[in-house]
Amino acid sequence: MVNSYTKTQIRKITRRFGLIPLSSDSIGSLYRKNAVIQVQTESGTYALKPFFRSLLLRSNTIQQIKTTADYMQLLINSGFSYMPKWLTSNSGTLWTLNQGRPFYMSPWIKGRKLEKQEDFEELGRALATLHQISSHFPHAKGPFTFKQIQLWQSQDRLFRRRMAKAIQTNEPNRKWYKKYGKSCNRLSERAWTDLRSPEIVDLLEKERARTALIHNDITTPNVIISDEGQLFIIDWDHMKVGSLYVDVAKSLMNTTQYNPDFNLSLLKGYEEIYPLDRIERKLISSLYGLPQEAWHATRFPNRPRSRKMLDIMEQTWLLRLKATDLLAEWTNQ
């Protein structure tokens, strides 16, 4: 059972959460044909979600769902209101197993996407509230931001090697590399210079002694403003203990479309709950400026999504540069 679920399977799993399904419909995403199943019941509409392990972790699927469920329980116990709560199964856990695949259920959130500055302010408050919820995570090993920077540096080196080779050949993306490759490198160098500064190195070292729970996948499809006006973040499968600075930078990149008002609104809402000092701002600004989409497209040059990412970068290039400069100015405000 890879990505296909029968009515019998859906009914069996749903009943384990104390619900009787009336109808169901599989909903696709960018990555999976049947990413979530919308289940209609007498008590309302729910999302039935298959859980897939992260290939970046060495642990198996069961270990990962157990850890994720523990994090979700922590959020529930903390009163975190920006998420649809997972239901408890008849076995007392927040998930159930069917044919080797973990599943969880939560209320279906109907609403709209992020549209207004007020929406982004609320998203900033939601992120800051999440990052302030901390506990003792003995299995988590920092410094989280430093590890992410090391990974991105290796991707940058790969990008430069493959770009040099592509320019000399007739690869499909050759024209893109010739037009934007050097500019990507300048953005990277600007960020690496800031990230090597003694003040940021000291901040990264201090991160060893602190933990933060992060969503790790804040994107436009994963944020919904409900019909009642409540902001919900969905799809918590990849939550983990990690870098709040990376979480903020990626959230800005993946939701604001480089709109300066949206960028500043998200940061304003965030700092209402979690004020940042100048060094922390500088770190977020530096991470935001990295051309990660170009690196990803270079790693998987033959994927249609990679070509689409390069096209989007080309269409938004000037906006991207202005947004990067805007965050640099925000650092010193």
Side-chain angles (χ1 to χ4, degrees), residues 313-325:
M313 286 190 73
E314 185 167 5
Q315 295 164 9
T316 60
W317 187 255
L318 293 180
L319 293 174
R320 183 191 194 98
L321 296 180
K322 290 181 180 179
T324 302
D325 290 338

Side-chain angles (χ1 to χ4, degrees), residues 121-175:
E121 280 190 34
E122 188 67 4
L123 176 57
R125 286 188 282 268
L127 273 175
T129 303
L130 170 65
H131 295 162
Q132 282 196 330
I133 297 174
S134 62
S135 183
H136 183 58
F137 302 103
H139 57 280
K141 298 179 180 179
F144 309 105
T145 308
F146 181 71
K147 288 184 177 180
Q148 181 63 71
I149 289 173
Q150 285 184 314
L151 175 61
W152 282 336
Q153 285 176 329
S154 66
Q155 293 177 3
D156 185 21
R157 290 191 293 269
L158 177 64
F159 171 79
R160 293 169 190 258
R161 290 196 301 270
R162 291 191 173 176
M163 179 182 70
K165 181 180 179 181
I167 290 176
Q168 297 173 358
T169 62
N170 290 321
E171 289 192 16
N173 298 327
R174 179 172 179 265
K175 290 183 178 179

Side-chain angles (χ1 to χ4, degrees), residues 53-288:
R53 66 179 290 267
S54 170
L55 299 178
L56 299 177
L57 301 177
R58 296 180 180 179
S59 52
N60 62 39
T61 302
I62 302 303
Q63 290 171 327
Q64 288 187 25
I65 184 61
K66 286 182 177 180
T67 299
T68 302
D70 286 344
Y71 293 154
M72 179 57 65
Q73 190 63 60
L74 172 63
L75 294 179
I76 293 172
N77 295 343
S78 300
F80 186 70
S81 61
Y82 294 99
M83 64 178 187
K85 295 180 181 179
W86 291 14
L87 305 185
T88 302
S89 70
N90 54 19
S91 63
T93 63
L94 296 178
W95 57 280
T96 189
L97 200 63
N98 183 263
Q99 296 188 9
R101 173 73 60 198
F103 288 82
Y104 63 89
M105 289 195 76
S106 62
W108 185 272
I109 306 301
K110 181 183 177 183
R112 60 175 175 82
K113 296 181 180 180
L114 296 162
E115 295 175 351
K116 303 177 290 185
Q117 288 180 237
E118 292 82 359
D119 298 339
F120 286 91
E121 280 190 34
E122 188 67 4
L123 176 57
R125 286 188 282 268
L127 273 175
T129 303
L130 170 65
H131 295 162
Q132 282 196 330
I133 297 174
S134 62
S135 183
H136 183 58
F137 302 103
H139 57 280
K141 298 179 180 179
F144 309 105
T145 308
F146 181 71
K147 288 184 177 180
Q148 181 63 71
I149 289 173
Q150 285 184 314
L151 175 61
W152 282 336
Q153 285 176 329
S154 66
Q155 293 177 3
D156 185 21
R157 290 191 293 269
L158 177 64
F159 171 79
R160 293 169 190 258
R161 290 196 301 270
R162 291 191 173 176
M163 179 182 70
K165 181 180 179 181
I167 290 176
Q168 297 173 358
T169 62
N170 290 321
E171 289 192 16
N173 298 327
R174 179 172 179 265
K175 290 183 178 179
W176 192 95
Y177 286 127
K178 292 187 69 175
K179 187 173 182 180
Y180 295 101
K182 290 184 179 179
S183 296
C184 285
N185 290 343
R186 283 195 292 270
L187 284 174
S188 301
E189 287 301 332
R190 173 178 170 179
W192 300 141
T193 298
D194 287 340
L195 295 171
R196 286 192 291 264
S197 66
E199 53 192 11
I200 286 187
V201 171
D202 182 60
L203 173 60
L204 298 181
E205 183 62 30
K206 291 178 179 177
E207 193 183 28
R208 293 179 183 272
R210 62 191 300 184
T211 59
L213 193 59
I214 66 172
H215 181 275
N216 199 36
D217 192 26
I218 299 291
T219 60
T220 298
N222 284 343
V223 183
I224 301 174
I225 309 298
S226 73
D227 290 344
E228 294 72 35
Q230 167 72 33
L231 184 143
F232 285 95
I233 302 172
I234 64 172
D235 201 357
W236 290 80
D237 297 37
H238 300 295
M239 75 170 112
K240 66 177 185 178
V241 178
S243 168
L244 65 90
Y245 308 111
V246 173
D247 211 29
V248 172
K250 289 173 65 176
S251 299
L252 289 167
M253 287 186 287
N254 294 334
T255 63
T256 63
Q257 297 87 47
Y258 307 109
N259 182 309
D261 294 330
F262 293 166
N263 271 329
L264 293 179
S265 294
L266 192 156
L267 293 168
K268 176 185 176 183
Y270 189 90
E271 292 199 275
E272 286 180 12
I273 307 295
Y274 198 126
L276 300 163
D277 63 30
R278 187 183 67 83
I279 309 306
E280 291 177 308
R281 285 185 170 196
K282 185 177 180 180
L283 174 55
I284 292 171
S285 173
S286 300
L287 297 174
Y288 176 83

